[in-house]
Amino acid sequence: MSGNIQLLSDTLERARSENRAALIAYLPAGFPTVDGGIDAVKAVVAGGADVVEVGLPHSDPVLDGPVIQTADDIALRGGVKIADVMRTVREAHEATGAPVLVMTYWNPIDRYGVERFTAELAEAGGAGCILPDLPVQESALWREHAEKHGLATVFVVAPSSKDERLATITAAGSGFVYAASLMGVTGTRESVGAQAQDLVRRTRATTELPVCVGLGVSNAVQAKEVAAFADGVIVGSAFVQRMLDAPDAAAGLEAVRALAGELARGVRRDGDGAGAA
């Protein structure tokens, strides 16, 4: 069975044709439970997310902040396994029709087996993987199996990436390019926004792939700001925080659905990004 890389490409192209950025939501599998995580994915798509990244919880998520680390810890203490991640992808995709990717560090795939992982992800209806810590020069085996199974290989670029390095990374990737920055950490919002905009410009000079930005976006105003220069706006911690703050599971689902609605209006470049969800 072939994976859904074409659905991912079509979804991003549809957003572009509608003169807006795509809204890409990240949620960890198994948080707060496996069933609860599946329901959360359904809720963000119902709210307006175009694409979903399902996180594979890891004991040492070095690139994730404390909010996602907290959710990963809850999922791992709940006993989440790769089989649960695949089930999350399958049930979320079947219920929503949206493209669903897995975001994971390399070690779990390496231990599980590349062929086994890619075959199961494709069978589950997955669209691909985001691999933040897999060096491009060590990715040939993964890319061979991902391509065979119709899965996107999404690599991460950063403001520190030199132009030559950007060209190497984007030439090896598929689906889209994940442009990462650190809004609110590396400087003022204005300076970080300018840095991200420059990264998108430099990345686009090397590839025809859509360039989607993860910037710590948490509200419609910020989503609109990023959507002005990016093909997609990636939001993760804000969704997870809403669930962590909720008094119960039902309230958590309503909170992430509402946030997705706010963000979906924000990514429409011709809209005001305002209004209740």
Side-chain angles (χ1 to χ4, degrees), residues 31-166:
F31 168 73
T33 62
V34 176
D35 288 341
I38 294 167
D39 288 341
V41 173
K42 295 176 185 177
V44 296
V45 175
D50 299 288
V51 179
V52 179
E53 302 172 10
V54 171
L56 195 161
H58 194 272
S59 57
D60 186 26
V62 293
L63 300 180
D64 293 314
V67 172
I68 291 174
Q69 287 183 19
T70 297
D72 277 6
D73 184 58
I74 291 169
L76 290 167
R77 284 191 281 113
V80 70
K81 300 287 191 291
I82 287 180
D84 299 311
V85 177
M86 298 298 179
R87 181 187 153 211
T88 300
V89 171
R90 175 182 293 104
E91 294 192 13
H93 171 64
E94 287 178 351
T96 65
V100 182
L101 301 102
V102 170
M103 186 166 189
T104 179
Y105 296 98
W106 180 245
N107 182 256
I109 294 178
D110 192 40
R111 292 183 61 184
Y112 198 73
V114 174
E115 168 62 24
R116 180 184 178 195
F117 191 95
T118 52
E120 291 184 7
L121 182 56
E123 192 276 329
C129 257
I130 300 163
L131 301 161
D133 67 340
L134 176 62
V136 171
Q137 61 270 26
E138 297 174 19
S139 67
L141 178 65
W142 164 267
R143 287 187 285 125
E144 174 191 342
H145 287 290
E147 185 174 353
K148 180 172 77 173
H149 289 291
L151 299 169
T153 297
V154 179
F155 288 114
V156 179
V157 298
S160 59
S161 302
K162 304 298 185 187
D163 290 352
E164 184 179 358
R165 178 68 176 163
L166 287 176

Side-chain angles (χ1 to χ4, degrees), residues 248-259:
D248 55 51
L253 294 177
E254 176 52 31
V256 296
R257 188 202 65 78
L259 177 58

Side-chain angles (χ1 to χ4, degrees), residues 194-264:
Q195 192 176 45
Q197 189 168 0
D198 180 65
L199 174 59
V200 171
R201 178 190 60 78
R202 293 193 297 117
T203 303
R204 281 188 175 144
T206 71
T207 183
E208 295 296 318
L209 291 173
V211 183
C212 303
V213 175
L215 262 177
V217 174
S218 61
N219 60 52
V221 173
Q222 293 170 333
K224 185 177 182 181
E225 181 182 350
V226 175
F229 59 82
D231 298 299
V233 178
I234 302 167
V235 181
S237 294
F239 285 116
V240 175
Q241 189 67 61
R242 292 281 181 107
M243 293 179 69
L244 288 169
D245 291 343
D248 55 51
L253 294 177
E254 176 52 31
V256 296
R257 188 202 65 78
L259 177 58
E262 295 165 18
L263 293 166

